[in-house]
Amino acid sequence: MSQYLTGNASKVPFKCHLKYSKTVTLQKTSQPGQQLLSGCVWSDSVYAVLINVDALLYLQMGYANPQQKAAGIHTRLYSRAFIIDDGNRTVVFVTADIGMVSQRLRLEVLRALKEKYGNLYRQDNVVLSGTHTHCGLAGYFQYTLFMITSNGYIKSSIQPLVNGIVKSIDIAHSNKRPGRIYRNKGELDDSSINRSPHSYLNNPEDERNRYKWNTDKQVLVLKFTDLDGDGIGMISWFAVHAVSMNYTNRMVSSDNMGYASYLLEKDKNHGALPGQGSFVAGFSSSNLGDVTPNTRGPHCVNSGLPCDYLNSSCPVGGVTYTHCKAFGPGEDMFDSTKIIGHSIYMKAKELYANAVEEVTGPIHAAHQWVNMTDVTVQINETHTVSTCKPALGHSFAAGTTDGGGDLNFTQGAVEGDPFWDGIRDALLGPPSNQTKECHHPKPILFSTGEMNWPLPWHPQIVDVQIVTIGSVAVIAVPGEMTTMSGRRLRKAVKELESENTFKDTEVVIAGLSNIYTHYITTYEEYQVQRYEGASTIYGPHTLTAYLHKYRSLARAIAQDRVSELPAGPEPPFFTKNLFNLMAAAAVDKKPDNSSFGDVLEQVYPVYRQVRRLRSQGRDTTFVTVEVYDNRTETWEVVYTDASWETRFHWLKGSNQQSNATIEWHIPPTAAHGTYRIQHFGHYKQMKGLRPIITKYQGSSDVFRVTDSFYY
């Protein structure tokens, strides 16, 4: 889903090109010394990022669980692009329903944009941010560690992501409408808790006392309207992990943030199917590193008792087991996703409705590539600190209370384990003394910065970027910042308020942006070495280095000296030694005397609302629920596989035969009437040595939905 926003200097006319309409020319005179930011939105709405048939064989990105292969669709994933232009400069902000933006994904998107638009959309003015759903596809990384945990670099996984993101920008670029931008801010205090409170408490007491909570409850909303005040879209930032759908889920899902988008777009695009309305609701991640939506907190699943506070373990009989798991507020993960997503949606809706503070001022964009393995910062007259080559600590293997590891690692480990270190040394080699000293007190499990076969295991070159939209500064952060890290970064940029450029500026962090580098904790949190500290790959002074770099970008913007910033060393774009561990998709077979798309278990003739509907077919991709219109004697699609109310499960069976289960959870709002479920798919066969892909479809029997079985 996209928006195109354009602005005017004094007495410069607006022009807007809308699909299915004529060119509109409007005149507006801005106030002296200000520029009025105005907007356009395309009329085709959201563009789906994926899915193809083979995607249902891929690993999901987030939990690093090799068993979590995608096997169905809970909700669709979307790219939502916002293009803002003040007449002189342009910035693009994309929030995509994926775990995180990888360096390879960003580079491929930038290459595609350059081919289409020349130098209009570049690395400095395009921000790509992931919502951090842990139920999107993997396989779009070019560094060895991520390829190992994602079954490799998979072209058929990354290509739909590139195409979807670029398409959303294309639609935004080609459909324009003038408008205005407003901002509003509030707090949401019932949808998140800190999952590493012990680490947070290691921050200075006087610093902690400045804040009411140990997570950021702030919700910032940008509201986009046309010149008549009619809403055309919004962006909301809130810090919470999109892990309401837990590590047992095997369906593609946009999780709690995606559900918030779904609800608000459903509100504003009344009667339209998901992805087909004109209103754009982007929900973006922020400094969510230590923030979980599992508000019931962690408990030992084997005993029901609270977990150990310091290391989130469950000691039973003197032995530590990895049974500490956190749970959301609902009865199951679907209920928890619905509760958290609904709360985020309600707060954003409230802030959107009451947003009256207009965003004015020019647009700026500042960007650098930085070698994060070699940043030195002067902290006082006598001392400097430096970053390190990447490395992961032992507590990285413990995972978090949202999804722990399966081995006997625990969070908070500040000493190595001879058993695991011995295996590491034999297989991968030991870390150098220099790396061990640099990362102290982290006991290194994987010295990834010293591992380069077949390709580097972790990136060295990282994007740092700030874009300003009038009085709103968006800091694109290449990882997961903890609560206090994000507060320090916002404070560092706000310190430049003495410069007129940042006067009364609202600073927001857009997390999981441009490249993924795991976590960014404070120096004090790093000492505790819970999962987040063990996953801060550039060492204990990572945050200090980022504060230094982002201050430089903000200062360049404030002093209008962005053009003097050195670009920095360009990141690699690997073409050799990328590997794919996925087997080729097998041919599809069917039982004798049957056809692809046959229904195995038919529907009942009548259903009441709020009952589960279940239909089975073979090997399907897209799903529709259709109601019969007696007036036109046609079938109308009312739900698709993008709808919250539908679920599509795919099970690869024996003898190359697959079954699909389609569920429609009939909502109370479903109209009485005659319905059917349709499913559409493709099957693969070989003719000679040539693979042939053939479409098929299947349909359930007709059934009725009513409020009574006596009809």
Side-chain angles (χ1 to χ4, degrees), residues 353-425:
N354 296 302
V356 294
E357 183 179 359
E358 189 161 6
V359 175
T360 60
I363 286 171
H364 294 279
H367 171 276
Q368 281 185 307
W369 284 303
V370 176
N371 183 349
M372 275 300 293
T373 69
D374 187 26
V375 179
T376 299
V377 181
Q378 189 86 34
I379 57 174
N380 56 41
E381 293 181 357
T382 58
H383 290 82
T384 61
V385 295
S386 300
T387 54
C388 315
K389 290 182 178 179
L392 290 163
H394 275 246
S395 294
F396 163 76
T400 72
T401 55
D402 293 325
D406 293 326
L407 302 173
N408 64 333
F409 291 90
T410 57
Q411 297 196 62
V414 292
E415 293 183 1
D417 182 288
F419 175 76
W420 292 113
D421 288 347
I423 293 177
R424 175 205 62 202
D425 293 351

Side-chain angles (χ1 to χ4, degrees), residues 277-302:
S278 61
F279 187 91
V280 188
F283 284 77
S284 180
S285 61
S286 194
N287 54 317
L288 49 66
D290 52 1
V291 187
T292 175
N294 293 315
T295 52
R296 282 160 54 194
H299 291 80
C300 296
V301 295
N302 57 337

Side-chain angles (χ1 to χ4, degrees), residues 523-597:
Y523 175 83
E524 295 83 0
E525 291 164 349
Y526 186 92
Q527 307 307 305
V528 180
Q529 279 298 293
R530 282 180 62 86
Y531 175 82
E532 294 83 11
S535 304
T536 298
I537 63 174
Y538 299 113
H541 303 293
T542 298
L543 177 61
T544 302
Y546 278 125
L547 294 178
H548 173 68
K549 291 298 179 180
Y550 283 108
R551 276 195 191 100
S552 296
L553 296 184
R555 189 171 293 109
I557 291 174
Q559 298 174 356
D560 198 19
R561 300 176 65 177
V562 171
S563 61
E564 300 176 18
L565 286 171
E570 291 195 23
F573 187 93
F574 298 120
T575 57
K576 297 180 179 179
N577 296 332
L578 296 165
F579 57 87
N580 183 351
L581 302 177
M582 288 287 298
V587 297
D588 297 302
K589 295 182 179 180
K590 57 183 178 60
D592 295 337
N593 302 315
S594 67
S595 300
F596 289 99

Side-chain angles (χ1 to χ4, degrees), residues 72-73 77 112-113 116 126 142 177 239 269 307 404 427 546 550 576 579 591 595 608 622 665-666 710:
I73 302 171
L77 310 182
L113 291 174
K116 285 191 172 189
V126 174
Q142 66 172 3
R177 185 198 302 173
N269 301 316
C307 303
L427 295 178
Y546 278 125
Y550 283 108
K576 297 180 179 179
F579 57 87
S595 300
R608 293 171 62 187
F622 305 121
H665 293 248
I666 305 174
Y710 304 99

Side-chain angles (χ1 to χ4, degrees), residues 5-15 26-38 85-89 178-180 227 360-363:
L5 303 174
T6 185
N8 67 313
S10 298
K11 300 182 180 178
V12 177
F14 291 106
K15 285 194 174 181
L26 299 169
Q27 184 78 33
K28 174 73 178 179
T29 302
S30 62
Q31 298 176 7
Q34 291 185 327
Q35 288 177 303
L36 180 66
L37 299 178
S38 302
D85 185 339
D86 67 0
N88 296 309
R89 301 185 183 95
R180 294 186 172 89
L227 292 181
T360 60
I363 286 171

Side-chain angles (χ1 to χ4, degrees), residues 1 75 88 99 153-154 159 203 216 237 248 250 289 345 354 471 478 544 559 581 635 643 665:
M1 195 189 299
T75 55
N88 296 309
Y153 172 78
I154 304 169
Q159 207 54 56
N203 291 306
D216 275 342
W237 286 272
T248 66
R250 293 188 61 195
Y345 144 75
N354 296 302
S471 56
T544 302
Q559 298 174 356
L581 302 177
W635 289 95
S643 302
H665 293 248

